[in-house]
């Protein structure tokens, strides 16, 4: 794993086989938030213990003994949009163990819904490509239009055909992977607010058939 990757991805135990989806799917969040206020967040030498932050978040969500917190509704709404119905514990485990979850920004934000700086988005590009080249997903579903607008362009990127459902158009594209092959990419509205999981299920279902 490249040293550019500070927050290591959560890799579900069934991800490589595609799990319940039969396809390798990367779920791409935008950022973690943390109220520690470190001035050198992302420094591997000083904050090695934070590299497992992403895994801790997903494992907390999947731990039935953990009290439910507000942020968890983001994961709940998104998982329902993957399968198209309300979900309960056993299925929830199967869903998240079938995917890879990675947060794009490699420094934590000071609060929810905050955006990174342009420099922080640019610094995260190489980390994303190193994760893509290592884990070789077939599909990426990114969380939010802000993130979609900041994702890398360049020579690896190619525009794809838009998906139009119920009068709303969702853009897609794909990235080249090292050694051949491409990964298809789209974005959903951020599942934290005003997220219609039944609508997004229709879009995701169409996307995953491509």
């Amino acid at each position: 794993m490249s040293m550019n990757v500070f927050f290591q991805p959560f890799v579900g135990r069934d991800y490589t086989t595609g799990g319940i989806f039969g396809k390798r799917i990367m779920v791409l969040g935008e950022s973690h938030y943390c109220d520690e206020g470190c001035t050198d967040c992302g420094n591997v030498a000083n904050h090695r213990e934070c590299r497992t932050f992403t895994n801790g978040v997903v494992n907390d969500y999947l731990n039935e003994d953990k009290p439910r917190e507000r942020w968890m509704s983001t994961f709940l709404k998104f998982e329902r949009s993957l399968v198209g119905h309300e979900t309960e514990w056993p299925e929830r485990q199967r869903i998240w163990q079938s995917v890879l979850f990675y947060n794009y920004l490699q420094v934590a934000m000071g609060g929810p819904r905050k955006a990174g700086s342009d420099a922080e988005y640019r610094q995260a590009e190489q980390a994303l490509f190193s994760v893509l080249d290592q884990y070789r997903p077939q599909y990426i579903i990114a969380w939010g239009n802000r993130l979609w607008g900041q994702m890398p362009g360049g020579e690896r990127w190619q525009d794809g055909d838009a998906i139009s459902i119920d009068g709303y158009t969702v853009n897609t594209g794909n990235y080249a992977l090292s050694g051949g092959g491409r990964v298809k990419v789209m974005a959903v509205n951020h599942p934290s607010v005003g997220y219609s999981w039944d609508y997004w299920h229709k879009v995701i279902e169409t996307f995953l058939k491509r």
Side-chain angles (χ1 to χ4, degrees), residues 105-124:
L105 287 173
Q106 295 301 292
V107 290
M109 300 293 100
R113 306 212 185 115
K114 289 197 173 165
S117 66
D118 283 344
E120 287 165 343
Y121 285 104
R122 297 292 75 78
Q123 284 159 3

Side-chain angles (χ1 to χ4, degrees), residues 153-182:
E155 59 191 29
R156 285 211 192 197
W157 174 257
Q158 201 172 64
D159 285 327
D161 294 330
I163 297 170
S164 291
I165 292 179
D166 297 351
Y168 187 74
T169 298
V170 179
N171 291 318
T172 74
N174 56 78
Y175 287 116
L177 297 173
S178 66
R182 304 191 77 88

Side-chain angles (χ1 to χ4, degrees), residues 60-61 66-77:
D60 280 354
Y61 175 67
K66 289 272 182 185
R68 298 293 91 186
E69 296 180 48
R70 246 174 70 188
W71 63 266
M72 293 178 176
S73 69
T74 301
F75 283 76
L76 178 69
K77 286 185 280 189

